[in-house]
Amino acid sequence: MSFYRFLSLVAFLAALLAGGGLVALAGKDRPTAPAAAGSAAQVDFVAELVADTLGVRPVETEARGRVEFTLVEGGGGLAYRIEVSDLEDAFMSHLHLGTAEDRYGSLVVWLWPDDGRRREVLEGRFSGILQEGVIRAENLTGALAHKELTDLLTAIRAGRIFADIHTRRNVPGELRGQVLIPSP
């Protein structure tokens, strides 16, 4: 059993024991956001975040992550949840327009901080929920600015959107993963 699946199982069992409530333990400076509506619903898209190997110097890290996306509000919103393990000194996360082979791509959604303003570094090693939120058309930027959420969904279904997380040690990006339809 993979480490991530083990952690997922532990979190699920903890939620059951807590009467169905999910308890997230996090650092004192963890950014906060409203819970993603529909977060208990079936996941429509997922990005498995691993070391970014496309740069001049491939990243070496123990950190891992996962971003889950669920359509909400009758398709008018895309709820997301970023969960990481062993991530150190993170400061931002985005969605980019680009294929798995593209080193860079147009930044199309700020995931964290969700207001698009770079904040202080989340100091130290962190494991847990980094951010939750809902993406709407007004959150689209870059190549998708002034477009509809359906344009983002079309790009995801075409395999043209990737998520990344930036850290102090790996400013261009430490973790990265293509947003895909999850396997059954």
Side-chain angles (χ1 to χ4, degrees):
M1 176 180 289
S2 73
F3 180 70
Y4 180 76
R5 288 185 188 260
F6 174 76
L7 286 178
S8 296
L9 178 62
V10 170
F12 174 75
L13 293 174
L16 284 176
L17 291 174
L22 180 61
V23 178
L25 300 176
K28 64 178 182 161
D29 295 323
R30 186 177 83 71
T32 59
S39 60
Q42 177 178 341
V43 173
D44 293 301
F45 308 104
V46 66
E48 297 292 343
L49 305 178
V50 296
D52 187 343
T53 59
L54 294 178
V56 175
R57 289 185 326 224
V59 171
E60 292 183 25
T61 182
E62 294 176 17
R64 297 286 180 267
R66 179 178 173 96
V67 187
E68 295 180 344
F69 300 89
T70 303
L71 286 167
V72 295
E73 302 167 2
L78 186 62
Y80 67 93
R81 174 182 168 140
I82 306 170
E83 190 165 353
V84 298
S85 64
D86 299 318
L87 188 64
E88 198 164 332
D89 298 334
F91 64 89
M92 63 183 167
S93 177
H94 314 104
L95 293 181
H96 293 265
L97 183 63
T99 66
E101 295 80 29
D102 293 333
R103 173 63 193 122
Y104 301 106
S106 176
L107 187 158
V108 293
V109 176
W110 279 81
L111 296 176
W112 174 67
D114 60 357
D115 63 4
R117 295 188 184 135
R118 186 171 160 184
R119 293 205 179 107
E120 295 298 314
V121 172
L122 179 60
E123 298 285 342
R125 189 171 288 245
F126 176 78
S127 293
I129 299 169
L130 184 64
Q131 178 79 348
E132 293 181 309
V134 178
I135 301 165
R136 295 182 183 84
E138 59 265 21
N139 302 119
L140 301 177
T141 188
L144 295 181
H146 310 293
K147 303 269 182 162
E148 298 298 321
L149 189 65
T150 55
D151 294 302
L152 174 64
L153 298 174
T154 298
I156 290 172
R157 289 182 180 111
R160 297 185 54 228
I161 299 291
F162 66 88
D164 66 0
I165 298 178
H166 302 261
T167 64
R168 182 184 289 150
R169 190 176 68 155
N170 294 292
V171 174
E174 181 159 333
L175 297 179
R176 174 187 169 124
Q178 210 68 22
V179 181
L180 303 169
I181 298 171
S183 300

